[in-house]
Amino acid sequence: MNAAIEVRDLTKRFGAVTAVDAVSFSIRENAITGLLGRNGAGKTTLMQLLTGQQFATSGSILVGGAEPAENAAALERMCFVREAQRYPEDFRVQHVLRSARWFFPEWDAAFAQTLVTDFRLPLTRRVKKLSRGQLSAVGIVVGLASRAPITFFDEPYLGLDAVARQIFYDRLLADYAEHPRTVVLSTHLIDEVGALLERAIVIDDGRVLLDDDVDALRGTLTTVTGGVAAVDAFVGGRRVLHRQSVGSFASVTVGGLDDAARADAVRAGLELAPVSLQQLVVRTTTSAADPSASTGTEELE
Amino acid sequence: MSTALAARPARTASKTLAVARAYFANPWTTIATPLVVLAAVLLLNITIWAIISANLHDAGDRADFRDGVQWSGASSWMFVYMFVLAVQAITAQLPFALSYGATRRQFLAATGIVYLVLSVGYATLYTLLALVERVSNGWGFSGRMFTAVYFGADSWVARWLTFFALLLACFLVGSAFAAVYQRWRRTGLLLAFAVVAALVVGGAALLTLTEGWVAFGAGIASAWTSAGDLALPLFTTPFVVVGGLVTWLVVRRATITT
């Protein structure tokens, strides 16, 4: 695996607040990596550090072997689609596209035009007058058409309706298939985006909780459903991340079931279901937040 | 390291150029609007001078008018406009450039070039208009806008340098304050004003206590007269230098805050 970005012991403190706490990970080259986590987990700060827009307190970031901050050669290869992008006064959409062409050596104007039509962006409207969704769409157009070898999307779909989001995912995948590049995508809509992701890094409270291939992650947790007694008997001493019961039925989320255990569960008449990526992230971050009570429990009468 | 990443050479100069071009992406902001406003202000002034002229009946009145109109501040709005442009450069162009992968150094270099280009351009324009004003005897009505007394100068080179220095000073002082705001927000800005005020009041206090006002005033006056035509550009230079230095130092570690 070739790493486009290597991060070692990266820490960022804002006064008394530690936004990023000694994280280490690698971003695989030419893969779509998702940066997942709760609000305020540190995703945006991390992206800002990787793109040289914030200066690290300590630790190292290597993009192509060099620190990105104030490094023109490293930044040359990156495009960062921010959540709240500031545009110069009096810019209209057409000016954004015109400027982007100057900044990104690989800019594809024809592709940009296709995207503008897809998202129905008014070229002559002032950027200040765009709706939240249209603003996001402009950012997406720039991010996609830049063909930057390393492209970051920080919650790029804010305000976009479901149709527009689907257009984004489709265009991203189609272009990525033809012109592979490293994509890092931070998101709340984990299940929607989950199908795109090859790797996922889950961050909570400035620390990395999970960093793995999405396929591998999907197999780590399983939901076991059945009668309360049977479920409890099966689960035994395993670590339970979440428990939900309705009357005499219970549903628990457990980790690390191998084939033998699965066979046992089926024999005991229990139902096994895979846990979606979103549930995985939710369960993991919840239990990480409150490790003393290793079970989250919900009683529904 | 894969060959794909290593093969592409760094074209570091291109982002500096890109940042500079971004200032002119919408040509209205830096060129068209100032020119339109300039034309409008000039026309307005000429109209007013024409009206006044029609009501001047004797030589005494006309002398009065000429005396008064040399103090015209009509051309000063351009300097304020450039100050505002500089503020926008830091508050809007900087975050934009950083997001698109420019380094702060590239931004500073590009912005410096843009300031120089605009200062040269508009100084030249003002000097040419001053020439027209002189030649046309005040646009036909003894009016004065570009040859107002503030700009001094009998030599055209000195006149150009005056305009150039004033414009550049407006750009750099504007950037300096905007940069302080960008990096340290309101607290920083207030602190900056406090520092400037302290320096001024402190300086005044020092002069008062040492009874040095006379010497200070005499020193300034003699420096001014000995500089002759270049007095104003020379006295503007400290603002240019300090403004530029502050902008450079502050922006080097500036970050984008939303």
Side-chain angles (χ1 to χ4, degrees):
Chain A
M1 171 192 111
N2 265 331
I5 304 177
E6 295 260 7
V7 174
R8 292 277 162 267
D9 288 321
L10 183 63
T11 304
K12 175 65 184 174
R13 269 185 278 272
F14 293 101
V17 175
T18 307
V20 176
D21 195 354
V23 300
S24 301
F25 59 87
S26 303
I27 302 282
R28 187 187 297 170
E29 195 189 347
N30 293 342
I32 303 184
T33 304
L35 210 51
L36 315 175
R38 303 194 59 185
N39 294 326
K43 305 189 295 293
T44 299
T45 307
L46 198 54
M47 286 186 152
Q48 289 177 333
L49 288 166
L50 296 180
T51 51
Q53 293 180 18
Q54 280 284 358
F55 298 97
T57 307
S58 68
S60 81
I61 308 169
L62 295 176
V63 177
E67 291 271 342
E70 287 299 281
N71 179 342
L75 294 179
E76 179 86 15
R77 301 198 284 262
M78 296 205 259
C79 175
F80 183 19
V81 178
R82 294 169 57 88
E83 203 184 329
Q85 171 72 297
R86 277 228 62 174
Y87 295 97
E89 306 284 330
D90 301 333
F91 255 40
R92 296 171 195 268
V93 176
Q94 64 199 13
H95 298 130
V96 175
L97 299 178
R98 196 186 296 170
S99 307
R101 193 184 335 133
W102 301 327
F103 279 90
F104 300 111
E106 318 279 325
W107 180 260
D108 185 341
F111 186 32
Q113 190 50 55
T114 316
L115 291 169
V116 164
T117 315
D118 285 340
F119 286 110
R120 301 202 221 163
L121 287 173
L123 281 174
T124 54
R125 193 169 304 168
R126 287 183 190 277
V127 169
K128 284 189 163 61
K129 299 269 170 61
L130 293 178
S131 71
R132 190 69 193 80
Q134 286 172 322
L135 211 54
S136 292
V138 171
I140 287 172
V141 170
V142 172
L144 288 178
S146 71
R147 293 260 168 75
I150 308 174
T151 309
F152 291 86
F153 290 97
D154 188 7
E155 311 262 5
Y157 42 70
L158 286 183
L160 284 185
D161 57 64
V163 175
R165 289 204 300 272
Q166 195 56 49
I167 295 175
F168 167 48
Y169 305 142
D170 291 342
R171 296 288 172 274
L172 173 62
L173 270 185
D175 193 63
Y176 169 72
E178 259 181 80
H179 305 269
R181 59 169 127 167
T182 310
V183 177
V184 180
L185 183 57
S186 88
T187 179
H188 289 161
L189 303 178
I190 301 169
D191 272 342
E192 232 183 61
V193 174
L196 295 175
L197 304 178
E198 288 164 54
R199 286 191 63 83
I201 298 174
V202 180
I203 299 194
D204 193 42
D205 229 2
R207 292 196 197 89
V208 171
L209 292 183
L210 297 171
D211 176 12
D212 209 340
D213 286 344
V214 165
D215 288 334
L217 282 178
R218 281 214 181 90
T220 54
L221 294 185
T222 319
T223 306
V224 181
T225 313
V228 174
V231 167
D232 284 342
F234 171 73
V235 164
R238 291 173 191 280
R239 181 162 172 262
V240 171
L241 278 90
H242 181 82
R243 182 194 173 87
Q244 190 173 319
S245 56
V246 180
S248 65
F249 285 94
S251 177
V252 299
T253 308
V254 290
L257 293 184
D258 58 13
D259 288 335
R262 291 173 165 273
D264 283 343
V266 170
R267 258 196 307 270
L270 299 171
E271 272 181 47
L272 298 175
V275 172
S276 73
L277 193 58
Q278 182 157 315
Q279 286 300 306
L280 174 81
V281 173
V282 172
R283 302 284 174 254
T284 314
T285 50
T286 320
S287 61
D290 194 6
S292 57
S294 61
T295 65
T297 55
E298 283 175 51
E299 299 282 344
L300 300 171
E301 288 306 322
Chain B
M1 195 58 353
S2 83
T3 48
L5 280 181
R8 201 174 290 110
R11 292 150 53 174
T12 56
S14 61
K15 291 235 181 187
T16 311
L17 190 61
V19 175
R21 288 173 87 173
Y23 281 98
F24 300 100
N26 183 349
W28 278 91
T29 319
T30 43
I31 303 181
T33 303
L35 290 179
V36 167
V37 174
L38 189 63
V41 169
L42 182 59
L43 265 139
L44 224 64
N45 272 274
I46 293 176
T47 313
I48 293 171
W49 295 328
I51 294 170
I52 294 175
S53 247
N55 288 296
L56 296 175
H57 301 298
D58 59 42
D61 280 346
R62 269 188 275 277
D64 256 346
F65 172 70
R66 275 197 296 275
D67 260 344
V69 82
Q70 68 181 331
W71 300 95
S72 165
S75 59
S76 60
W77 68 270
M78 178 75 86
F79 302 103
V80 177
Y81 190 90
M82 296 304 148
F83 186 93
V84 172
L85 272 188
V87 170
Q88 287 175 358
I90 303 293
T91 57
Q93 292 276 359
L94 172 62
F96 179 72
L98 289 184
S99 294
Y100 280 19
T103 63
R104 290 156 187 79
R105 238 168 312 164
Q106 285 173 325
F107 170 79
L108 287 166
T111 305
I113 293 171
V114 170
Y115 287 168
L116 280 171
V117 165
L118 289 176
S119 299
V120 166
Y122 286 114
T124 311
L125 181 65
Y126 262 35
T127 309
L128 285 171
L129 288 169
L131 184 63
V132 173
E133 192 166 281
R134 181 68 66 80
V135 162
S136 68
N137 191 28
W139 308 93
F141 298 103
S142 302
R144 287 171 71 167
M145 181 169 153
F146 302 99
T147 55
V149 78
Y150 313 108
F151 305 122
D154 282 316
S155 125
W156 292 103
V157 172
R159 190 179 291 279
W160 186 92
L161 279 171
T162 306
F163 288 137
F164 175 75
L166 282 172
L167 286 166
L168 204 57
C170 286
F171 276 127
L172 290 171
V173 171
S175 301
F177 279 111
V180 168
Y181 176 74
Q182 181 70 18
R183 190 156 159 197
W184 295 297
R185 296 283 134 177
R186 187 177 44 196
T187 319
L189 200 62
L190 291 175
L191 220 67
F193 288 143
V195 165
V196 171
L199 285 173
V200 170
V201 173
L206 195 65
L207 284 172
T208 310
L209 289 173
T210 57
E211 298 194 23
W213 279 108
V214 176
F216 181 68
I220 297 273
S222 73
W224 193 281
T225 40
S226 61
D229 269 355
L230 296 175
L232 200 47
L234 239 53
F235 275 79
T236 316
T237 309
F239 291 96
V240 170
V241 170
V242 172
L245 212 64
V246 169
T247 306
W248 175 272
L249 290 172
V250 173
V251 170
R252 288 287 278 122
R253 299 281 297 186
T255 54
I256 310 169
T257 39
T258 44

